[in-house]
Amino acid sequence: MSTTASSFKVLVVDDSNTIRRSAEIFLKQGGHEVLLAEDGFDALSKINDHVPQLIFCDILMPKLDGYQTCAIIKRNPKFASIPVVMLSSKDGVFDKARGRMVGSQDYLTKPFTKDQLLQAVQQFGIAVQGAD
């Protein structure tokens, strides 16, 4: 059994290989298990197979964008409780509002730092340490 109570399964969905890789490195340094998906369809398949505890989802992606992906996740009762954090290179009020409308819990502007990413994981009460 693992000694760290704060290790979680996190899915990063982004069509940019650079963003996926940097998120993977940051999250693994934080002790988390990382799943990667390059578009919304890939993400839905991974969510179904692995049921992550947190999802970081890019907004601008080919085929299925982040808003559509988030809406599909939130419509499925099996996955509706998984927190979704939208990722975007735009820091617009409209983007944030639209993300909330489809059920996302938060919004991170790219490029993000390791601290921002790990803080977002902790923010959702995911990195809950064991009882004192």
Side-chain angles (χ1 to χ4, degrees):
M1 192 165 142
S2 173
T3 52
T4 54
S6 61
S7 177
F8 290 90
K9 198 182 299 182
V10 182
L11 173 65
V12 178
V13 189
D14 200 302
D15 58 328
S16 160
N17 189 47
T18 308
I19 296 290
R20 283 197 312 273
R21 293 295 163 221
S22 55
E24 180 181 32
I25 291 164
F26 294 158
L27 290 164
K28 283 187 172 175
Q29 286 172 346
H32 303 290
E33 183 184 336
V34 185
L35 301 163
L36 300 173
E38 57 190 49
D39 62 45
F41 291 111
D42 189 18
L44 296 173
S45 157
K46 294 229 164 82
I47 292 164
N48 196 48
D49 294 346
H50 303 283
V51 192
Q53 290 155 298
L54 176 64
I55 301 164
F56 288 100
C57 186
D58 184 25
I59 291 175
L60 296 172
M61 295 185 294
K63 299 180 203 160
L64 205 58
D65 73 21
Y67 298 125
Q68 294 165 317
T69 303
C70 183
I72 292 168
I73 294 164
K74 295 299 179 180
R75 265 190 238 126
N76 185 326
K78 187 175 170 189
F79 308 121
S81 64
I82 302 171
V84 177
V85 176
M86 304 306 278
L87 299 174
S88 178
S89 49
K90 296 187 293 185
D91 192 16
V93 173
F94 176 76
D95 293 311
K96 292 179 183 179
R98 190 167 170 207
R100 294 228 188 275
M101 282 168 46
V102 294
S104 75
Q105 273 68 26
D106 204 0
Y107 188 99
L108 262 186
T109 305
K110 299 189 289 189
F112 44 76
T113 65
K114 175 182 172 181
D115 288 345
Q116 287 172 316
L117 204 60
L118 294 177
Q119 189 177 354
V121 174
Q122 290 175 337
Q123 177 185 334
F124 292 101
I126 289 182
V128 177
Q129 298 300 323
D132 302 62

